Amino acid sequence: TSAMAEGLYPIKAILKYKDTVSGKIYETSDTKSLIVDRVPPVSRISYPPKSGLICPLRISSTKGDWFGIPVEGIATDNIAIRENRGYSLYYGFGSNPDSWSAAKTRKGKDTPSIEGGANSGLLGNWDITDLRGTEYSLRLKSVDTAGNATCAVSGFSIDTLVQISSLNTDKRLFSPNGDGRLDDLSVDYKIDEY
């Protein structure tokens, strides 16, 4: 294939054989496509950005609220990305993970892996509800129809702190000892995160 231009080529294989007992000649054939593709696919994570501090989103569903990070990127190829698992998203702990796990999302009560065919934009909402820690890396793996693969990695931190921008009370002194004097306190606060 080194002299062939990139693209899809139809090929047909024909097998003829002779039955030695009956002397009959039989023929079978099959047609497929030969893919010539020397260019690897494109894998790029555009969100979350490298070294970014990310605030997870609260996502509401009929099965309950969960926290997720919308992962955006590109998984494309000059010819074609595989339709089934053409891209797959993985996560690991820290900036240089020892191991990777499939990134999951939520669809009803199911938690499928984030994967699909060619895509440019939202790859999936990564479910981080039960994860602990603040530093993570995401790996996007793209595979084209010829089997060429590339990966993109992005490391970032998840903001788990809540910033209280103002805090006011209706009393300066509070004594919750049950004597009926200064036992109650009203507190007003403001959180500037979304």
Side-chain angles (χ1 to χ4, degrees), residues 23-149:
K24 284 184 160 182
I25 296 179
Y26 293 94
E27 180 177 306
T28 186
S29 65
D30 195 10
T31 303
K32 298 285 182 185
S33 292
L34 170 68
I35 301 168
V36 177
D37 184 359
R38 296 176 197 89
V39 178
V42 174
S43 295
R44 187 175 307 132
I45 298 172
S46 54
Y47 189 88
K50 287 185 179 180
S51 303
L53 182 62
I54 308 303
C55 291
L57 300 175
R58 180 183 300 247
I59 301 171
S60 297
S61 73
T62 57
K63 303 295 180 191
D65 291 354
W66 55 285
F67 291 94
I69 294 176
V71 179
E72 298 176 2
I74 298 172
T76 60
D77 187 61
N78 64 327
I79 295 178
I81 287 283
R82 283 187 185 165
E83 288 188 29
N84 185 23
R85 292 183 56 113
Y87 75 85
S88 303
L89 192 65
Y90 303 91
Y91 75 93
F93 296 99
S95 60
N96 190 17
D98 291 329
S99 62
W100 297 91
S101 300
K104 307 272 185 166
T105 190
R106 290 194 189 183
K107 291 186 179 174
K109 57 184 174 177
D110 297 329
T111 56
S113 298
I114 298 175
E115 57 189 34
N119 196 342
S120 180
L122 181 65
L123 301 172
N125 288 311
W126 175 37
D127 180 7
I128 63 161
T129 305
D130 297 324
L131 296 180
R132 301 294 172 250
T134 58
E135 288 194 35
Y136 293 93
S137 292
L138 285 174
R139 181 175 72 183
L140 173 63
K141 180 179 180 182
S142 301
V143 182
D144 65 17
T145 52
N148 300 317

Side-chain angles (χ1 to χ4, degrees), residues 11 63 78 117 157 163:
I11 58 171
K63 303 295 180 191
N78 64 327
S157 297
Q163 182 100 19

